[in-house]
Amino acid sequence: MNAPNQSGWKPTMHEGANEALDSHRTVTGNRALMLEERLIFEIGSHETTGVDLPEPQTGAANRLGGLARSEPIGLPGLSEPEAVRHYTRLSRQNYAIDLGLFPLGSCTMKHNPRLNEKVARMPGFADVHPLQPVDTVRGALEVIDELADWLLKLTGMHSVAMTPKAGAHGELCGILCIRAALEARGDPREVILVPESAHGTNPATAAFAGYRVENIPATPEGRVDLEALKARLGPDVAGVMITNPNTCGLFERQMKAISDAVHAAGGLVYCDGANFNAIVGRVRPGDLGVDAMHINLHKTFSTPHGGGGPGSGPVVLSEALAPFAPLPFVTRRADGTLDLIEEENAGEHHPRTFGRMTAFHGQMGMFTRALAYILSHGADGLRQASGDAVLNANYILRSLDDVLDAPFGDSGPCMHEALFSDKGFAEGLTTLDLAKGMIDEGFHPMTMYFPLVVHGAMLVEPTETESKAGLDQLVLALRSLAQRARDGDETLKTAPHFAPRRRLDETLAARKPVLAWSGLPAPGGVPTLSEQGGS
Ligand SMILES: *Cc1c(COP(=O)(O)O)cnc(C)c1O
């Protein structure tokens, strides 16, 4: 425990976790050039400031009347160099796609080309304001329209709602379109069917939109059980949400049969398109009977994921759902110019819209980046990217399947991600231990414990942007860690040993999160952030 003591700072070390390392403790807590850093509240002082403001003119404060602050503001102050070092030190404890391979399955963490960044920063795109008169933003509208056109060509769909701001937001948009279409038909239904391997956002979206969620089982080879699905279809089923390629890393070969069965029963088909990176330029979801699918621009089309945002999740729609798409959107007039459909003119042009998902047109910065990515690759380049992504994932699958159990290794080649389980690990060693070991080897862990249908799941997605040399490094590390897990190497249980923080108490952090600085701890009181190891 590292409660601030009289001398100020004590580095976070788990007692006895690694004798050899502990005997090499430094007095500062720093390890070579990995510098310890305390919370800004612990290093700042109320008296210090990085700026030198003139005294307020007499009389000015009086204008605040009773709102004038009567006590010091209490914020930690730092000089400019102290502030710069604080954030730089923190940023060095981050892992990033610009630093190394990021094998998070289902996330498609690929390189963000610098050309995209250059284009997004062009003043004509970066500095437009959403309330500017339409005539002054024709270029921006052209970008939205051209990107929309590419997304329609790549998916073979009828129209696209560009405004949703993430995959999950797109799911909600698609399900609200489905609900609006069914209600317009006078046939509101109650149930959405979701495979048991689905991403958590799928059932969450359906429930949020007011549906009851029921699971569809998978076959032993990891795909949707078509017969079980058909048996459940009926007049109460509004639709299905199917991820294709699915979260077991497999293509749903019976997708067209699934869509046909759902349509025959009067339902609609939502496809979770988060894994589109595996099939761009090869499969058009529109040909498989899909009615709505979101595309994560921050996955497939290389725009940054950011620290939880901004993402962008345009939703492509079938002809059946297009009339219900949300406002606003860009449309091309007969004379070739672009126009906006908003509430004012929707009555005339788009009367059945379900409403609005966002204040304005969506994530403009992501649109410019995604279009730059698409245009710089061209149709042939996009097709090659999906092929390389699948090739890289199969290289990982076959380089490891003798030391890590691949539960669907016999179901044919995987798509753009490889799935492993903890079968064969020695008693007491888990997927979490292997993942923590990866941190010591300099890799961000893969996606763990997802999909839920596989025990101790490890989902590895290398993406097409990794070279063979980079993949070989990952394989080297994973083969060694897998062997240690099989051999029962107890030191894995306390990994990571070399990271700025050792194994954190994740249960305590989740159950008793301390999200605000509350000063030094009262004796026996709630621990402060730093007492928990500053996670
Ligand atoms: C990432 C992902 C989502 C959600 O997308 P966000 O942009 O994170 O909201 C949904 N389904 C699957 C399969 C995903 O991988």
mmCIF file of all heavy atoms in Angstrom, residues 252-284:
data_model
loop_
_atom_site.group_PDB
_atom_site.id
_atom_site.type_symbol
_atom_site.label_atom_id
_atom_site.label_comp_id
_atom_site.label_asym_id
_atom_site.label_seq_id
_atom_site.Cartn_x
_atom_site.Cartn_y
_atom_site.Cartn_z
ATOM 1 N N GLU A 252 -20.202 -16.561 -41.301
ATOM 2 C CA GLU A 252 -21.502 -17.243 -41.218
ATOM 3 C C GLU A 252 -21.912 -17.623 -42.642
ATOM 4 O O GLU A 252 -22.504 -16.837 -43.372
ATOM 5 C CB GLU A 252 -22.564 -16.327 -40.592
ATOM 6 C CG GLU A 252 -22.347 -16.031 -39.125
ATOM 7 C CD GLU A 252 -22.659 -17.228 -38.210
ATOM 8 O OE1 GLU A 252 -23.122 -18.273 -38.697
ATOM 9 O OE2 GLU A 252 -22.398 -17.094 -36.993
ATOM 10 N N ARG A 253 -21.560 -18.856 -43.012
ATOM 11 C CA ARG A 253 -21.778 -19.275 -44.409
ATOM 12 C C ARG A 253 -23.249 -19.340 -44.776
ATOM 13 O O ARG A 253 -23.617 -19.284 -45.935
ATOM 14 C CB ARG A 253 -21.154 -20.646 -44.635
ATOM 15 C CG ARG A 253 -19.644 -20.613 -44.536
ATOM 16 C CD ARG A 253 -19.111 -22.027 -44.683
ATOM 17 N NE ARG A 253 -17.675 -22.041 -44.493
ATOM 18 C CZ ARG A 253 -17.006 -23.079 -43.983
ATOM 19 N NH1 ARG A 253 -17.662 -24.167 -43.622
ATOM 20 N NH2 ARG A 253 -15.711 -23.022 -43.848
ATOM 21 N N GLN A 254 -24.115 -19.478 -43.759
ATOM 22 C CA GLN A 254 -25.543 -19.630 -44.055
ATOM 23 C C GLN A 254 -26.294 -18.310 -43.899
ATOM 24 O O GLN A 254 -27.515 -18.307 -43.703
ATOM 25 C CB GLN A 254 -26.142 -20.699 -43.150
ATOM 26 C CG GLN A 254 -25.603 -22.074 -43.498
ATOM 27 C CD GLN A 254 -26.282 -23.161 -42.712
ATOM 28 O OE1 GLN A 254 -26.235 -23.150 -41.479
ATOM 29 N NE2 GLN A 254 -26.906 -24.091 -43.402
ATOM 30 N N MET A 255 -25.565 -17.192 -44.016
ATOM 31 C CA MET A 255 -26.187 -15.887 -43.770
ATOM 32 C C MET A 255 -27.399 -15.657 -44.665
ATOM 33 O O MET A 255 -28.435 -15.164 -44.221
ATOM 34 C CB MET A 255 -25.148 -14.776 -43.990
ATOM 35 C CG MET A 255 -25.595 -13.418 -43.519
ATOM 36 S SD MET A 255 -25.790 -13.341 -41.713
ATOM 37 C CE MET A 255 -26.969 -12.018 -41.574
ATOM 38 N N LYS A 256 -27.288 -16.014 -45.947
ATOM 39 C CA LYS A 256 -28.407 -15.773 -46.878
ATOM 40 C C LYS A 256 -29.619 -16.607 -46.457
ATOM 41 O O LYS A 256 -30.755 -16.114 -46.465
ATOM 42 C CB LYS A 256 -27.967 -16.127 -48.304
ATOM 43 C CG LYS A 256 -29.015 -15.850 -49.362
ATOM 44 C CD LYS A 256 -29.195 -14.339 -49.584
ATOM 45 C CE LYS A 256 -30.084 -14.010 -50.776
ATOM 46 N NZ LYS A 256 -31.486 -14.377 -50.593
ATOM 47 N N ALA A 257 -29.377 -17.854 -46.051
ATOM 48 C CA ALA A 257 -30.485 -18.714 -45.601
ATOM 49 C C ALA A 257 -31.104 -18.163 -44.324
ATOM 50 O O ALA A 257 -32.333 -18.208 -44.137
ATOM 51 C CB ALA A 257 -29.980 -20.143 -45.380
ATOM 52 N N ILE A 258 -30.263 -17.602 -43.447
ATOM 53 C CA ILE A 258 -30.774 -16.990 -42.210
ATOM 54 C C ILE A 258 -31.689 -15.819 -42.576
ATOM 55 O O ILE A 258 -32.822 -15.712 -42.087
ATOM 56 C CB ILE A 258 -29.602 -16.500 -41.318
ATOM 57 C CG1 ILE A 258 -28.811 -17.687 -40.766
ATOM 58 C CG2 ILE A 258 -30.116 -15.604 -40.187
ATOM 59 C CD1 ILE A 258 -27.529 -17.311 -40.028
ATOM 60 N N SER A 259 -31.205 -14.923 -43.463
ATOM 61 C CA SER A 259 -31.995 -13.747 -43.855
ATOM 62 C C SER A 259 -33.315 -14.179 -44.499
ATOM 63 O O SER A 259 -34.372 -13.618 -44.188
ATOM 64 C CB SER A 259 -31.221 -12.876 -44.844
ATOM 65 O OG SER A 259 -30.007 -12.470 -44.296
ATOM 66 N N ASP A 260 -33.237 -15.159 -45.391
ATOM 67 C CA ASP A 260 -34.460 -15.600 -46.082
ATOM 68 C C ASP A 260 -35.486 -16.129 -45.083
ATOM 69 O O ASP A 260 -36.677 -15.820 -45.181
ATOM 70 C CB ASP A 260 -34.123 -16.691 -47.117
ATOM 71 C CG ASP A 260 -33.363 -16.124 -48.315
ATOM 72 O OD1 ASP A 260 -33.320 -14.876 -48.447
ATOM 73 O OD2 ASP A 260 -32.802 -16.914 -49.097
ATOM 74 N N ALA A 261 -35.010 -16.893 -44.093
ATOM 75 C CA ALA A 261 -35.936 -17.459 -43.102
ATOM 76 C C ALA A 261 -36.562 -16.349 -42.259
ATOM 77 O O ALA A 261 -37.768 -16.357 -41.992
ATOM 78 C CB ALA A 261 -35.191 -18.459 -42.213
ATOM 79 N N VAL A 262 -35.740 -15.357 -41.856
ATOM 80 C CA VAL A 262 -36.250 -14.260 -41.024
ATOM 81 C C VAL A 262 -37.263 -13.441 -41.828
ATOM 82 O O VAL A 262 -38.354 -13.107 -41.327
ATOM 83 C CB VAL A 262 -35.095 -13.376 -40.516
ATOM 84 C CG1 VAL A 262 -35.627 -12.148 -39.799
ATOM 85 C CG2 VAL A 262 -34.171 -14.178 -39.593
ATOM 86 N N HIS A 263 -36.939 -13.145 -43.084
ATOM 87 C CA HIS A 263 -37.869 -12.368 -43.923
ATOM 88 C C HIS A 263 -39.175 -13.128 -44.140
ATOM 89 O O HIS A 263 -40.257 -12.547 -44.082
ATOM 90 C CB HIS A 263 -37.215 -12.027 -45.269
ATOM 91 C CG HIS A 263 -36.139 -10.998 -45.149
ATOM 92 N ND1 HIS A 263 -35.060 -10.928 -45.993
ATOM 93 C CD2 HIS A 263 -35.967 -9.994 -44.259
ATOM 94 C CE1 HIS A 263 -34.277 -9.922 -45.636
ATOM 95 N NE2 HIS A 263 -34.805 -9.338 -44.589
ATOM 96 N N ALA A 264 -39.061 -14.433 -44.365
ATOM 97 C CA ALA A 264 -40.274 -15.233 -44.603
ATOM 98 C C ALA A 264 -41.192 -15.207 -43.381
ATOM 99 O O ALA A 264 -42.418 -15.290 -43.508
ATOM 100 C CB ALA A 264 -39.884 -16.673 -44.940
ATOM 101 N N ALA A 265 -40.574 -15.034 -42.189
ATOM 102 C CA ALA A 265 -41.374 -14.980 -40.965
ATOM 103 C C ALA A 265 -41.774 -13.546 -40.615
ATOM 104 O O ALA A 265 -42.270 -13.285 -39.517
ATOM 105 C CB ALA A 265 -40.595 -15.612 -39.816
ATOM 106 N N GLY A 266 -41.516 -12.608 -41.536
ATOM 107 C CA GLY A 266 -41.951 -11.228 -41.331
ATOM 108 C C GLY A 266 -41.002 -10.375 -40.506
ATOM 109 O O GLY A 266 -41.338 -9.250 -40.134
ATOM 110 N N GLY A 267 -39.803 -10.881 -40.198
ATOM 111 C CA GLY A 267 -38.837 -10.112 -39.408
ATOM 112 C C GLY A 267 -37.796 -9.431 -40.275
ATOM 113 O O GLY A 267 -37.809 -9.551 -41.504
ATOM 114 N N LEU A 268 -36.892 -8.690 -39.634
ATOM 115 C CA LEU A 268 -35.843 -7.972 -40.352
ATOM 116 C C LEU A 268 -34.472 -8.379 -39.805
ATOM 117 O O LEU A 268 -34.369 -8.887 -38.690
ATOM 118 C CB LEU A 268 -36.069 -6.467 -40.229
ATOM 119 C CG LEU A 268 -37.321 -6.017 -41.017
ATOM 120 C CD1 LEU A 268 -38.021 -4.869 -40.320
ATOM 121 C CD2 LEU A 268 -36.943 -5.652 -42.445
ATOM 122 N N VAL A 269 -33.442 -8.126 -40.613
ATOM 123 C CA VAL A 269 -32.110 -8.653 -40.297
ATOM 124 C C VAL A 269 -31.135 -7.529 -40.005
ATOM 125 O O VAL A 269 -30.830 -6.716 -40.884
ATOM 126 C CB VAL A 269 -31.576 -9.500 -41.479
ATOM 127 C CG1 VAL A 269 -30.176 -10.023 -41.173
ATOM 128 C CG2 VAL A 269 -32.535 -10.648 -41.774
ATOM 129 N N TYR A 270 -30.636 -7.472 -38.763
ATOM 130 C CA TYR A 270 -29.555 -6.547 -38.430
ATOM 131 C C TYR A 270 -28.253 -7.316 -38.465
ATOM 132 O O TYR A 270 -28.139 -8.396 -37.886
ATOM 133 C CB TYR A 270 -29.750 -5.932 -37.025
ATOM 134 C CG TYR A 270 -28.738 -4.840 -36.791
ATOM 135 C CD1 TYR A 270 -29.035 -3.529 -37.151
ATOM 136 C CD2 TYR A 270 -27.460 -5.128 -36.320
ATOM 137 C CE1 TYR A 270 -28.085 -2.526 -37.033
ATOM 138 C CE2 TYR A 270 -26.510 -4.139 -36.202
ATOM 139 C CZ TYR A 270 -26.823 -2.843 -36.552
ATOM 140 O OH TYR A 270 -25.867 -1.843 -36.448
ATOM 141 N N CYS A 271 -27.247 -6.760 -39.139
ATOM 142 C CA CYS A 271 -25.920 -7.374 -39.126
ATOM 143 C C CYS A 271 -24.973 -6.445 -38.380
ATOM 144 O O CYS A 271 -24.887 -5.260 -38.695
ATOM 145 C CB CYS A 271 -25.426 -7.619 -40.558
ATOM 146 S SG CYS A 271 -23.788 -8.357 -40.629
ATOM 147 N N ASP A 272 -24.285 -6.982 -37.371
ATOM 148 C CA ASP A 272 -23.238 -6.229 -36.691
ATOM 149 C C ASP A 272 -22.019 -6.272 -37.609
ATOM 150 O O ASP A 272 -21.443 -7.331 -37.841
ATOM 151 C CB ASP A 272 -22.955 -6.885 -35.332
ATOM 152 C CG ASP A 272 -21.888 -6.152 -34.541
ATOM 153 O OD1 ASP A 272 -20.979 -5.574 -35.162
ATOM 154 O OD2 ASP A 272 -21.960 -6.182 -33.301
ATOM 155 N N GLY A 273 -21.653 -5.110 -38.152
ATOM 156 C CA GLY A 273 -20.586 -5.055 -39.154
ATOM 157 C C GLY A 273 -19.219 -4.713 -38.592
ATOM 158 O O GLY A 273 -18.322 -4.314 -39.338
ATOM 159 N N ALA A 274 -19.040 -4.892 -37.274
ATOM 160 C CA ALA A 274 -17.753 -4.524 -36.669
ATOM 161 C C ALA A 274 -16.596 -5.314 -37.279
ATOM 162 O O ALA A 274 -15.458 -4.863 -37.268
ATOM 163 C CB ALA A 274 -17.801 -4.733 -35.161
ATOM 164 N N ASN A 275 -16.884 -6.490 -37.810
ATOM 165 C CA ASN A 275 -15.825 -7.321 -38.387
ATOM 166 C C ASN A 275 -15.744 -7.194 -39.910
ATOM 167 O O ASN A 275 -15.203 -8.066 -40.585
ATOM 168 C CB ASN A 275 -16.055 -8.791 -37.997
ATOM 169 C CG ASN A 275 -15.861 -9.006 -36.511
ATOM 170 O OD1 ASN A 275 -15.158 -8.237 -35.859
ATOM 171 N ND2 ASN A 275 -16.490 -10.034 -35.965
ATOM 172 N N PHE A 276 -16.230 -6.077 -40.420
ATOM 173 C CA PHE A 276 -16.252 -5.866 -41.880
ATOM 174 C C PHE A 276 -14.846 -5.921 -42.475
ATOM 175 O O PHE A 276 -14.665 -6.241 -43.648
ATOM 176 C CB PHE A 276 -16.927 -4.520 -42.173
ATOM 177 C CG PHE A 276 -17.324 -4.284 -43.609
ATOM 178 C CD1 PHE A 276 -17.896 -5.286 -44.372
ATOM 179 C CD2 PHE A 276 -17.141 -3.037 -44.193
ATOM 180 C CE1 PHE A 276 -18.268 -5.058 -45.690
ATOM 181 C CE2 PHE A 276 -17.514 -2.797 -45.508
ATOM 182 C CZ PHE A 276 -18.075 -3.812 -46.265
ATOM 183 N N ASN A 277 -13.826 -5.621 -41.648
ATOM 184 C CA ASN A 277 -12.452 -5.590 -42.164
ATOM 185 C C ASN A 277 -12.043 -6.899 -42.835
ATOM 186 O O ASN A 277 -11.159 -6.906 -43.678
ATOM 187 C CB ASN A 277 -11.475 -5.273 -41.017
ATOM 188 C CG ASN A 277 -10.122 -4.799 -41.526
ATOM 189 O OD1 ASN A 277 -10.064 -3.914 -42.375
ATOM 190 N ND2 ASN A 277 -9.055 -5.389 -41.037
ATOM 191 N N ALA A 278 -12.694 -8.003 -42.454
ATOM 192 C CA ALA A 278 -12.308 -9.301 -43.032
ATOM 193 C C ALA A 278 -12.847 -9.500 -44.439
ATOM 194 O O ALA A 278 -12.349 -10.355 -45.177
ATOM 195 C CB ALA A 278 -12.822 -10.429 -42.136
ATOM 196 N N ILE A 279 -13.861 -8.729 -44.839
ATOM 197 C CA ILE A 279 -14.561 -9.070 -46.089
ATOM 198 C C ILE A 279 -14.725 -7.904 -47.057
ATOM 199 O O ILE A 279 -15.348 -8.058 -48.103
ATOM 200 C CB ILE A 279 -15.965 -9.669 -45.779
ATOM 201 C CG1 ILE A 279 -16.810 -8.717 -44.931
ATOM 202 C CG2 ILE A 279 -15.828 -11.021 -45.089
ATOM 203 C CD1 ILE A 279 -18.260 -9.163 -44.763
ATOM 204 N N VAL A 280 -14.135 -6.746 -46.731
ATOM 205 C CA VAL A 280 -14.256 -5.582 -47.624
ATOM 206 C C VAL A 280 -13.756 -5.947 -49.029
ATOM 207 O O VAL A 280 -12.683 -6.531 -49.185
ATOM 208 C CB VAL A 280 -13.422 -4.393 -47.084
ATOM 209 C CG1 VAL A 280 -13.397 -3.243 -48.088
ATOM 210 C CG2 VAL A 280 -13.991 -3.917 -45.757
ATOM 211 N N GLY A 281 -14.548 -5.637 -50.026
ATOM 212 C CA GLY A 281 -14.130 -5.897 -51.403
ATOM 213 C C GLY A 281 -14.322 -7.339 -51.830
ATOM 214 O O GLY A 281 -13.937 -7.723 -52.939
ATOM 215 N N ARG A 282 -14.890 -8.170 -50.948
ATOM 216 C CA ARG A 282 -15.080 -9.597 -51.253
ATOM 217 C C ARG A 282 -16.512 -10.048 -51.097
ATOM 218 O O ARG A 282 -16.990 -10.867 -51.871
ATOM 219 C CB ARG A 282 -14.176 -10.441 -50.339
ATOM 220 C CG ARG A 282 -12.728 -10.252 -50.680
ATOM 221 C CD ARG A 282 -11.788 -10.625 -49.572
ATOM 222 N NE ARG A 282 -10.495 -10.029 -49.872
ATOM 223 C CZ ARG A 282 -9.598 -10.569 -50.695
ATOM 224 N NH1 ARG A 282 -9.831 -11.730 -51.267
ATOM 225 N NH2 ARG A 282 -8.464 -9.950 -50.950
ATOM 226 N N VAL A 283 -17.182 -9.520 -50.058
ATOM 227 C CA VAL A 283 -18.574 -9.899 -49.792
ATOM 228 C C VAL A 283 -19.373 -8.615 -49.613
ATOM 229 O O VAL A 283 -18.927 -7.704 -48.914
ATOM 230 C CB VAL A 283 -18.684 -10.739 -48.494
ATOM 231 C CG1 VAL A 283 -20.144 -11.040 -48.178
ATOM 232 C CG2 VAL A 283 -17.883 -12.021 -48.612
ATOM 233 N N ARG A 284 -20.561 -8.527 -50.236
ATOM 234 C CA ARG A 284 -21.425 -7.365 -50.025
ATOM 235 C C ARG A 284 -22.611 -7.808 -49.160
ATOM 236 O O ARG A 284 -23.442 -8.622 -49.611
ATOM 237 C CB ARG A 284 -21.923 -6.817 -51.361
ATOM 238 C CG ARG A 284 -20.782 -6.384 -52.294
ATOM 239 C CD ARG A 284 -21.291 -5.598 -53.474
ATOM 240 N NE ARG A 284 -22.436 -6.244 -54.116
ATOM 241 C CZ ARG A 284 -23.245 -5.646 -54.982
ATOM 242 N NH1 ARG A 284 -23.047 -4.378 -55.297
ATOM 243 N NH2 ARG A 284 -24.253 -6.300 -55.526
#
